[in-house]
Amino acid sequence: MTAAIPVDLAWSSPFVRWQGALASTSSIDLAVQVTGDAFGRARFDPGDLSSVVFGWTVPQPEIFYGAPTIAARIGAGHVGGPMVSQACATGVVSLEVGAMRVGARTDTSVLVVTADRTSNGPVLTWPQPDAPGGAPHVEHWVLDSFKRDPVAREAMVATAEKVAAEAGFTREELDEVTLLRHEQYRSALADDRAFQRRWMVPARLPGRRGETVVEADDGVVPTTAEGLAGLRPVTDGGVVTYGSQTHPADGTAGLVVTTAEHARDLADGGPVATILGVGHSRAGLAEMPKAPVPAARRALDAAGLAFDDVDALTTHNPFAVNDLWFARETGVALQDMNARGCSLVWGHPQGPTGTRSIVELLHTLVDRGGGVGLFTGCAAGDSGAAVVVRVDA
């Protein structure tokens, strides 16, 4: 059975910079509010759902009960479902799980919701009775993960530097890609953010002095060629700067996956996206920016398609190096990726990052009258994940 998405039932919150307006809001609470409002906008009855898939990477209070809690709080207390956590690939894997459940006839209508708060990440204390004085092992869930892959034994930025050095990418090339991505993002803000307003659902934050509403991304840094050129490399002797890498953020994004027939019913004449293929990969140790390429090839192979068949492409690119490598290896022009921006610009809450990129991909395809779309991105552990969709507008 073919799995599909009514495009009007694909959404994202704004993404907000680390320690910004969402820093004290549980990502579960945010997912509940934004999902509920997205359903209201689309006039979707949560009673239609047969299960929920919740994707996350950063623990929140009461996350042990995450998926059924979200379902109950949005008015779907009759369903439960699994939770998925696969670092930056969580968005693709959550969508894949939802599509598989529909394809296996386990479910007919699945809410796939992803949410993370990198701000104020938990500090875990592990008992060590045999350590000197019984001192515990302490791990900062977010910061320690950024600093070191326990297998490659490198920080994430080191993977970008390694690939840049191998390929001979220059600081100037990274800055040029970064500037292009910011220009593309600015096109999504045209006409009072008309493109984003179709799918971006504001975050509403209750407070003692009333409700605060976050309607747009917060954390996108105004970027110029001169400003990029003036930044120092993150590591001595490197080419990656804080301008040509993403920033951590908070947010949520989701969509409804159902059968092709039911998707058309829910769309009521609107656009529908069919899921054609998914691919996963793993690059060599400390070569994370390479992983989106084999993941994309595997997703296209699963769909029986090639890069020449792709009409729109989005990437999760925590480093500008990612897109340079992708363009060199596939022949896809840099300007043909990320037509409306990307995670390099609007930030990286981890779990929902890929989901938002997929949502933007769907709407980009709608704008061109339909076609085939590809999303691909890297993830921790030198891995990658990709999905191919077709939109019938």
Side-chain angles (χ1 to χ4, degrees):
M1 183 178 292
T2 303
I5 305 162
V7 174
D8 285 346
L9 280 167
W11 64 88
S12 175
S13 74
F15 281 6
V16 177
R17 61 181 175 82
W18 178 320
Q19 300 304 107
L22 299 178
S24 298
T25 301
S26 162
S27 60
I28 294 176
D29 292 342
L30 182 67
V32 168
Q33 177 258 302
V34 170
T35 300
D37 287 357
F39 284 176
R41 282 170 45 157
R43 298 182 179 179
F44 176 76
D45 179 4
D48 184 79
L49 295 173
S50 58
S51 72
V52 59
V53 176
F54 177 38
W56 61 278
T57 75
V58 182
Q60 302 291 282
E62 299 181 334
I63 200 159
F64 185 83
Y65 299 93
T69 293
I70 290 174
R73 290 177 60 189
I74 63 169
H78 60 290
V79 304
M83 296 195 290
V84 175
S85 183
Q86 194 171 328
C88 321
T90 297
V92 170
V93 179
S94 298
L95 175 58
E96 182 180 21
V97 171
M100 290 170 62
R101 292 173 74 96
V102 171
R105 302 178 187 269
T106 304
D107 284 295
T108 56
S109 190
V110 182
L111 166 63
V112 175
V113 59
T114 52
D116 264 329
R117 177 181 63 174
T118 61
S119 297
N120 301 327
V123 177
L124 306 183
T125 302
W126 305 97
Q128 291 191 117
D130 296 334
H137 171 71
V138 178
E139 177 185 12
H140 191 294
W141 184 279
V142 175
L143 294 179
D144 288 346
S145 297
F146 288 169
K147 289 178 182 177
R148 180 176 175 273
D149 177 336
V151 176
R153 300 185 180 276
E154 295 283 3
M156 291 186 181
V157 68
T159 71
E161 290 290 358
K162 180 178 179 180
V163 173
E166 176 185 335
F169 297 147
T170 66
R171 162 72 181 274
E172 290 72 24
E173 288 178 296
L174 268 64
D175 287 353
E176 288 172 5
V177 174
T178 301
L179 195 61
L180 171 63
R181 297 294 177 248
H182 278 268
E183 291 170 353
Q184 291 169 314
Y185 176 78
R186 283 193 289 272
S187 76
L189 307 181
D191 301 323
D192 190 29
R193 298 178 46 245
F195 174 77
Q196 290 186 345
R197 288 183 188 278
R198 297 209 307 259
W199 48 265
M200 187 174 282
V201 179
R204 296 183 289 105
L205 312 175
R208 289 179 297 177
R209 299 183 180 180
E211 186 177 73
T212 298
V213 179
V214 182
E215 294 191 351
D217 294 323
D218 180 9
V220 178
V221 178
T223 301
T224 64
E226 295 76 17
L228 288 170
L231 295 175
R232 294 181 179 180
V234 176
T235 57
D236 291 342
V239 293
V240 177
T241 69
Y242 286 111
S244 59
Q245 70 172 28
T246 191
H247 59 275
D250 307 328
T252 184
L255 41 81
V256 172
V257 183
T258 184
T259 65
E261 181 180 7
H262 192 42
R264 288 191 293 269
D265 290 340
L266 290 171
D268 193 23
V272 170
T274 304
I275 301 167
L276 302 181
V278 176
H280 297 276
S281 66
R282 189 170 185 180
L285 287 181
E287 294 180 341
M288 187 175 71
K290 293 183 178 182
V293 174
R297 287 179 173 147
R298 289 177 181 174
L300 287 167
D301 285 346
L305 299 171
F307 283 110
D308 288 343
D309 298 311
V310 174
D311 299 302
L313 190 157
T314 57
T315 65
H316 164 47
N317 45 3
F319 304 99
V321 171
N322 288 47
D323 284 356
L324 283 168
W325 181 266
F326 191 91
R328 197 186 81 164
E329 292 297 301
T330 66
V332 176
L334 287 165
Q335 62 268 25
D336 291 338
M337 311 175 204
N338 301 309
R340 296 294 194 175
C342 55
S343 56
L344 179 67
V345 177
W346 34 252
H348 183 25
Q350 300 183 174
T353 302
T355 311
R356 171 169 170 172
S357 287
I358 294 166
V359 172
E360 293 200 12
L361 176 64
L362 301 184
H363 284 273
T364 299
L365 288 166
V366 169
D367 284 347
R368 69 176 307 280
V372 173
L374 167 67
F375 164 74
T376 188
C378 66
D382 302 307
S383 59
V387 62
V388 180
V389 298
R390 183 185 66 247
V391 169
D392 298 308

